[in-house]
Amino acid sequence: MHSHQFNRLFAADQLRAPRGFIKPILGASPILEIGAGKGHHALSLAQTTEQSIIAIERTRTKFESFSKLASATDYPNLQPVHADAIPWCVHALPPNTLAQVFLLYPNPERANPNQRWHRMPFMEFLLSRIRTGGRLTLATNVESYAHECEQWLCEIWQLPVTIAPVDRRSERTAFEVKYLARGERCWQIEATKPEGYVTRFDDWSTVR
Ligand SMILES: C[S@@+](CC[C@H](N)C(=O)[O-])C[C@H]1O[C@@H](n2cnc3c(N)ncnc32)[C@H](O)[C@@H]1O
């Protein structure tokens, strides 16, 4: 199974490490959250697992709220990161590492569909960093986005995928709470990295 038959190569070697980059502590089965917002989901997850959780947020104001809450709660397994997740992943993660990646309620990029996570060449790199059997979990309140994401993960990225409505009582993130309170439907798309999955980044790493 190949990830890349239809896709442009992600230019990993052209990305510098984010400013102030610090190597994360990865532990045995690390979980990565991209676009963690104020950190609601990452903080709840840190309470319920001993796995290390790295939660990245690019927007300063959101990250500051997250960072304050993380300092107050002080979970030893939670690492909040203020960075753009794309160069951060390139410099922080060896191949075949992550047990799970969460992308919860990403911007639907209505004006720039090619900026959707599942459409970006970066997706191949991210998949190379997930371990065999690891999962990619994405949630959205936009029905067309959910179906497009499912289709891309299945047809373009050649992954086994499920799609299901999010339970109306779920309250993992600020956006999820807001959408469900308004009576909107939300969807969860989950892909699993199968045995024998090949990407062009499986032997590529800046991490030593
Ligand atoms: C719509 S918000 C959702 C926040 C949170 N997951 C929630 O559900 O409440 C999307 C978040 O992703 C963050 N984001 C977008 N691109 C990012 C990137 N490349 N690296 C890190 N964070 C990113 C944005 O700053 C924004 O806070």
Side-chain angles (χ1 to χ4, degrees):
M1 239 166 304
H2 286 262
S3 64
H4 55 267
Q5 46 197 331
F6 307 108
N7 285 292
R8 211 158 31 87
L9 185 65
F10 172 62
D13 52 358
Q14 287 172 28
L15 291 181
R16 282 205 232 139
R19 194 181 305 172
F21 174 73
I22 299 169
K23 255 192 190 177
I25 299 158
L26 293 169
S29 292
I31 297 172
L32 175 69
E33 180 167 2
I34 295 178
K38 296 179 181 173
H40 197 93
H41 174 252
L43 285 155
S44 322
L45 199 58
Q47 274 183 78
T48 57
T49 178
E50 289 182 358
Q51 288 167 263
S52 80
I53 299 155
I54 301 156
I56 310 182
E57 175 50 52
R58 188 176 60 185
T59 303
R60 176 173 296 281
T61 48
K62 290 186 186 183
F63 179 76
E64 281 169 357
S65 305
F66 178 17
S67 181
K68 269 189 203 148
L69 281 172
S71 302
T73 44
D74 201 22
Y75 295 117
N77 56 337
L78 176 62
Q79 297 167 75
V81 175
H82 180 216
D84 182 331
I86 295 178
W88 186 90
C89 287
V90 167
H91 288 275
L93 301 174
N96 204 27
T97 299
L98 301 168
Q100 191 163 10
V101 175
F102 286 98
L103 280 160
L104 300 178
Y105 304 93
N107 186 326
E109 302 290 354
R110 292 178 203 275
N112 299 301
N114 288 335
Q115 294 296 310
R116 296 173 186 162
W117 291 101
H118 52 272
R119 287 185 177 226
M120 285 199 271
F122 170 69
M123 182 53 77
E124 181 178 350
F125 187 87
L126 186 60
L127 292 171
S128 75
R129 271 47 199 163
I130 298 176
R131 61 171 57 170
T132 301
R135 285 177 293 158
L136 173 70
T137 304
L138 186 142
T140 180
N141 66 322
V142 182
E143 185 167 8
S144 57
Y145 186 111
H147 290 299
E148 180 187 281
C149 178
E150 180 200 15
Q151 190 180 6
W152 273 67
L153 290 174
C154 174
E155 291 176 14
I156 306 293
W157 299 112
Q158 304 273 296
L159 294 164
V161 187
T162 60
I163 181 166
V166 172
D167 189 295
R168 289 189 188 280
R169 291 160 302 182
S170 182
E171 40 186 34
R172 289 174 298 182
T173 77
F175 277 72
E176 185 166 78
V177 168
K178 179 173 79 176
Y179 297 137
L180 293 175
R182 292 202 301 228
E184 291 180 30
R185 290 184 74 192
C186 296
W187 288 265
Q188 179 151 305
I189 296 99
E190 196 145 69
T192 305
K193 183 169 170 179
E195 189 85 45
Y197 192 78
V198 176
T199 82
R200 290 169 289 188
F201 297 99
D202 297 343
D203 298 317
W204 190 99
S205 185
T206 63
V207 185
R208 273 171 268 280

